[in-house]
Amino acid sequence: MPATLIAFLGACTLIAASPGPSTVLIIKQSLHGRRSGLLTVLGNETGVFVWGVVAALGLTALVTASEIAYGVMRIVGAAVLVAFGVQALRQARRTGADAGGGGGESTGTTGWAAYRAGLLLNLANPKAAVFALSFLPQFVPEGAPHLPTMVGLAALWAVYEVGYYGLYVWFVGRLRTVLSRVGVRRRLEQASGGVLLLLGVRMALEG
């Protein structure tokens, strides 16, 4: 069992370290403050846990078995990514417009908006659902009760990623003096918006 847990946490580390939409969104939200970044992380990990429970109940298999269901989720996920990308580009433009006023401070987002953004991005990603279905069963020990073990692993996965992504939030916070400069923040917002747009277009075009 300890060896299985070590292997599981190692796999969780590799998953979290792989760049993706969640990483981009968490860093983007962290530019508005640690609270915003951490709540985005919590929203994202709520989605991770939800997909883990759905996989444990076997419901994710229905999505993978239905081309129509998966296609609908893919289009919705792409639309969410594009929406977040456009939002980031608009924020970059507003940041540039505020430069003339000498402020440069971000108004940030509400706690609920930050949490909702992380949750929505994760739940709208059909790949997250499919991945949970294929990932978690590999670490269920032989003879262990399937449902409670998978739910427990999903909870551990989510909690572990809260700690991992929390380091991203902390790091961005440490660089706040530099990142608060209007020009730097504007370029970072533009970069994150462009990446999210590209990821959304790619998801929409995937077969």
Side-chain angles (χ1 to χ4, degrees), residues 92-105 180-183 186:
R93 188 170 59 182
R94 285 197 298 268
T95 300
D98 291 342
E105 290 297 323
S180 293
R181 296 173 184 171
V182 173
R186 185 174 65 250

Side-chain angles (χ1 to χ4, degrees), residues 11-43:
C12 289
T13 303
L14 293 175
I15 295 165
S18 302
S22 294
T23 304
V24 176
L25 183 66
I26 288 166
I27 293 175
K28 173 193 172 301
Q29 295 286 74
S30 298
L31 295 173
H32 303 295
R34 288 180 178 173
R35 180 172 179 269
S36 179
L38 286 173
L39 286 169
T40 304
V41 171
L42 290 176

Side-chain angles (χ1 to χ4, degrees), residues 20-190:
S22 294
T23 304
V24 176
L25 183 66
I26 288 166
I27 293 175
K28 173 193 172 301
Q29 295 286 74
S30 298
L31 295 173
H32 303 295
R34 288 180 178 173
R35 180 172 179 269
S36 179
L38 286 173
L39 286 169
T40 304
V41 171
L42 290 176
N44 184 74
E45 299 316 314
T46 301
V48 168
F49 179 68
V50 168
W51 282 131
V53 172
V54 170
L57 295 172
L59 300 178
T60 314
L62 299 177
V63 176
T64 59
S66 171
E67 239 180 89
I68 295 177
Y70 185 84
V72 169
M73 283 192 65
R74 180 171 55 81
I75 296 302
V76 170
V80 169
L81 284 170
V82 169
F84 280 129
V86 170
Q87 184 184 57
L89 293 175
R90 286 178 175 172
Q91 180 64 43
R93 188 170 59 182
R94 285 197 298 268
T95 300
D98 291 342
E105 290 297 323
S106 170
T107 56
T109 54
T110 66
W112 166 243
Y115 178 85
R116 182 182 58 200
L119 177 63
L120 179 61
L121 186 69
N122 194 283
L123 291 182
N125 185 0
K127 292 183 178 179
V130 175
F131 185 79
L133 179 64
S134 60
F135 174 61
L136 292 175
Q138 299 179 51
F139 297 94
V140 177
E142 188 176 352
H146 185 81
L147 179 59
T149 302
M150 281 190 64
V151 170
L153 287 173
L156 179 59
W157 183 11
V159 171
Y160 182 80
E161 285 196 347
V162 167
Y164 184 91
Y165 286 126
L167 294 176
Y168 285 35
V169 178
W170 175 84
F171 185 73
V172 172
R174 293 288 292 178
L175 296 177
R176 189 165 178 78
T177 302
V178 175
L179 299 179
S180 293
R181 296 173 184 171
V182 173
V184 175
R185 174 162 299 193
R186 185 174 65 250
R187 283 190 284 272
L188 287 172
E189 291 279 5
Q190 288 171 339

